[in-house]
Amino acid sequence: MSNFKKLISIIAPMIIALLLAVLVLYGPFCLPKSEPATVEKAATSLSANVLRGEQLKDQALDSGYLMIMGSSELLRFDSFHPSVLTHKYQRGYQPFLLGSAGTQSLTHFFSAQAMGKHLNHKRVVVIISPQWFVKKGVDKNMFDYYYSKQQATHFIRHANPHSEADRYAAQRLLSMPSGRGDEVIESSLKNIASGQKISANQKFLVNDLKSPNLSHQDQLFTRFFIKDRRSKIDEQSRVLPNKYNQQQLNWIAGNLGKEHSTNNSFQIDNRFYDRQLKHALPGLMNSQQNYTYEYGPEFSDFQLLLNQFKKHNVTPLFVIPPINSKWMVYTGLRQSMLNDFDKKITYQLKTQGFDKIVDLHTDGDVPYFMQDTIHLGWRGWVKVDQELNRFVKQKQPQRVHYHLRDYFYTKDWQQRVPATIKKY
C-alpha cells in the first residue's frame, strides 16, 4: 500500500466521524423521542438538566402530565406529597415537578416560554413562595445555575422588541452573568431590550447555528442524567391505606407529623431540625424582625410568567403557602408583613383575571401543616392534594380572558406599599 493510501485510510474515518458529528449536532431533523418510562422518571426527578431542557417537558405536556412549578418545597417527599398520593391513588392528575431550591419566577418564565405550543390550553399549578419576593429579587448565582442557553435562544427567536414584556425579560437576562456569557446572545438581548430587531447576522447565528445545536444536545443527553426517585416514592406510599379517604389521610398525616417532630417545640421534622436548626437556634431568635417580602423585581418577573400563560391560553392554579407560625414567633417574622405580601400578589393576580388561587398564608398555625419552617408537609400536602384534585375536575374554558397590564413591569409596582392598594 502506498503512503498516500495509508494516509487516506487513517484520515477518512476521522473525516466521516467529523461529518456525522456535525450532522447530528446541526442537522435539520429531530432525534427520536424518549421512552414513556424516561418521562415518568423525569416527572419526579427535579433534576436541573430536566428544567433546562425541553424535549422531556414537551413530551410530558403532550402526554397529559400536570406541570407543578415551585421551588424547594417540591423536594419534601413525605407520604402526602402530590407525587406520592398520585402513585398510590387515582387522583385525576399526574404531576410533573418543575423546580428546586433557588428556582423563582424568572427561571420558570424562560422554561415556560420555551415550551411554546406545547403549553396551549393546558392546566398548570404554580406554588408561590413568599420567600421569592425579597428586595433584591432572585439570587444571581441560583438563576445562573438553572440558566439554559437553549431557552435563551428560543426567547430571542420569538421576542418582539415592541413588547414591554419582552424588553423587560431581555433586560433582566442581561442583568444576570449568564445572560452576558455568550457574545451573540448578549448582543441580541441588547437589541431587544432597546426596542430593536436583531440583525440578520444575529438571526443567522441564533436560528441556524446555536438553536439546532443546543436542541440536539438536549435530545441526546438530557435523558441520560436524570435522578430516579421512584423507589423513594413507592416506599413513602406504603404507609397509606389502600383506599383513598380524605378524613383518614388527614388523621394519619397528623399522627405521622407528631411522630416525626418530637425533638423540638416548633413541630418541625426531627431530621431537619437536627441538621439545619438545632445548633444555630440561639442566634436565630428575633433574626427575621426586619424581613420583608413586599418589594422588589420578583413581582415583575412573576408578571412575565403570567404573560406566558395568557399567550398560550393556560389555566393556572396558584398556591400561596404559609410559614410555620411557631417559627415566625421565634424569629420575629411579622404576620402583618406576610398579610401585606399576600394582599399585593393577590391584587396582581385578580385584577388581571387570574382568580384560581389557593390562599393558605394564614394556615401556618394548623398543627403539622408544615414540615419545617417554610415548607409544606404532612397535613399541608393533604390540603393541597384536595385542591389540585378539585382543580383538574373543573371544566376548563375554551378561551381564557386575562387583562394584562404593563404597569406590573414598572418600579412603581415593585416598590408600591401594599397599604395603598384599594379593595379589589
Side-chain angles (χ1 to χ4, degrees):
M1 183 181 292
S2 67
N3 289 337
F4 179 74
K5 288 183 177 179
K6 287 181 179 176
L7 183 63
I8 290 297
S9 68
I10 295 172
I11 293 177
M14 296 170 64
I15 294 175
I16 292 172
L18 180 62
L19 290 175
L20 284 174
V22 170
L23 187 64
V24 167
L25 292 176
Y26 293 95
F29 53 82
C30 291
L31 298 173
K33 291 183 177 180
S34 299
E35 295 293 324
T38 305
V39 179
E40 181 188 358
K41 185 166 70 172
T44 54
S45 72
L46 293 165
S47 297
N49 57 319
V50 172
L51 187 64
R52 296 188 198 108
E54 295 311 316
Q55 190 190 51
L56 288 171
K57 291 184 293 189
D58 294 345
Q59 278 188 243
L61 282 167
D62 294 343
S63 303
Y65 279 83
L66 177 68
M67 291 284 172
I68 300 182
M69 299 177 176
S71 47
S72 50
E73 71 284 330
L74 297 176
L75 288 161
R76 269 57 182 180
F77 286 95
D78 65 27
S79 296
F80 309 92
H81 186 285
S83 297
V84 179
L85 290 179
T86 53
H87 173 72
K88 184 76 175 184
Y89 309 109
Q90 293 293 325
R91 303 298 297 138
Y93 68 96
Q94 186 65 37
F96 192 100
L97 308 177
L98 279 180
S100 195
T103 51
Q104 296 185 198
S105 302
L106 202 57
T107 294
H108 286 309
F109 160 69
F110 283 107
S111 175
Q113 61 89 28
M115 295 175 197
K117 64 181 181 181
H118 299 278
L119 261 184
N120 288 350
H121 303 285
K122 295 296 192 300
R123 301 173 199 259
V124 170
V125 176
V126 182
I127 301 177
I128 306 171
S129 290
Q131 296 77 25
W132 294 358
F133 295 81
V134 294
K135 285 183 178 178
K136 292 184 178 179
V138 61
D139 182 292
K140 291 183 179 182
N141 291 325
M142 295 309 298
F143 177 82
D144 288 352
Y145 180 70
Y146 296 106
Y147 169 73
S148 160
K149 273 191 182 181
Q150 185 184 7
Q151 293 170 5
T153 55
H154 188 280
F155 168 73
I156 291 168
R157 291 170 62 200
H158 296 86
N160 173 7
H162 301 302
S163 157
E164 183 68 30
D166 287 352
R167 289 199 300 272
Y168 175 82
Q171 290 164 8
R172 285 293 283 153
L173 189 47
L174 282 169
S175 73
M176 303 292 168
S178 49
R180 303 189 300 275
D182 180 292
E183 190 176 336
V184 174
I185 290 176
E186 181 183 11
S187 64
S188 301
L189 289 173
K190 284 180 176 176
N191 277 29
I192 297 165
S194 62
Q196 301 174 39
K197 292 182 179 179
I198 60 173
S199 68
N201 186 49
Q202 289 167 336
K203 193 173 183 179
F204 168 74
L205 292 172
V206 170
N207 285 5
D208 299 321
L209 290 182
K210 288 186 178 296
S211 184
N213 174 258
L214 294 166
S215 177
H216 288 177
Q217 287 187 49
D218 171 36
Q219 294 164 21
L220 275 171
F221 303 120
T222 299
R223 68 187 75 185
F224 299 117
F225 304 100
I226 302 173
K227 191 174 181 64
D228 192 350
R229 302 180 192 274
R230 290 176 294 179
S231 60
K232 181 177 183 179
I233 288 170
D234 185 58
E235 181 184 342
Q236 289 287 353
S237 72
R238 290 175 193 162
V239 305
L240 299 174
N242 290 329
K243 187 176 180 180
Y244 182 90
N245 180 293
Q246 182 179 316
Q247 290 184 330
Q248 187 182 13
L249 284 175
N250 194 40
W251 181 80
I252 296 172
N255 282 343
L256 284 177
K258 190 175 182 179
E259 289 177 16
H260 287 84
S261 57
T262 54
N263 65 359
N264 64 87
S265 60
F266 304 105
Q267 296 182 350
I268 288 173
D269 178 79
N270 288 339
R271 287 180 298 177
F272 181 90
Y273 180 78
D274 280 342
R275 288 199 306 261
Q276 305 288 336
L277 300 176
K278 185 177 179 180
H279 301 293
L281 199 61
L284 294 171
M285 180 180 283
N286 296 324
S287 62
Q288 298 182 349
Q289 288 177 315
N290 298 319
Y291 277 27
T292 176
Y293 305 138
E294 301 159 89
Y295 311 105
E298 188 69 25
F299 287 95
S300 298
D301 295 350
F302 182 68
Q303 182 69 13
L304 289 174
L305 193 57
L306 300 185
N307 187 54
Q308 206 58 30
F309 292 157
K310 180 181 186 296
K311 275 186 179 177
H312 295 280
N313 283 290
V314 171
T315 303
L317 174 72
F318 298 95
V319 179
I320 303 175
I323 297 174
N324 184 319
S325 293
K326 294 177 184 297
W327 186 249
M328 288 178 67
V329 171
Y330 186 77
T331 59
L333 195 69
R334 294 164 292 130
Q335 182 64 45
S336 60
M337 181 279 294
L338 195 61
N339 294 343
D340 284 343
F341 156 76
D342 184 76
K343 181 181 182 182
K344 188 166 177 175
I345 198 67
T346 304
Y347 176 86
Q348 187 169 345
L349 288 169
K350 287 193 172 179
T351 56
Q352 297 184 99
F354 296 93
D355 57 359
K356 297 185 185 305
I357 304 170
V358 179
D359 190 348
L360 307 174
H361 87 281
T362 59
D363 287 345
D365 59 351
V366 175
Y368 312 111
F369 203 83
M370 309 296 289
Q371 190 186 75
D372 51 52
T373 55
I374 59 174
H375 297 116
L376 290 163
W378 305 304
R379 296 180 68 193
W381 280 134
V382 173
K383 175 68 175 177
V384 169
D385 169 69
Q386 294 166 16
E387 298 293 345
L388 297 190
N389 192 50
R390 186 178 296 118
F391 173 60
V392 297
K393 287 183 176 176
Q394 290 173 346
K395 186 177 180 182
Q396 191 170 8
Q398 286 294 316
R399 189 163 188 82
V400 292
H401 299 283
Y402 303 127
H403 317 285
L404 298 196
R405 297 167 56 197
D406 287 345
Y407 165 65
F408 292 109
Y409 294 114
T410 66
K411 289 194 182 300
D412 282 350
W413 171 245
Q414 294 174 16
Q415 300 305 323
R416 183 164 173 180
V417 178
T420 65
I421 296 173
K422 296 179 180 178
K423 187 177 180 181
Y424 48 88

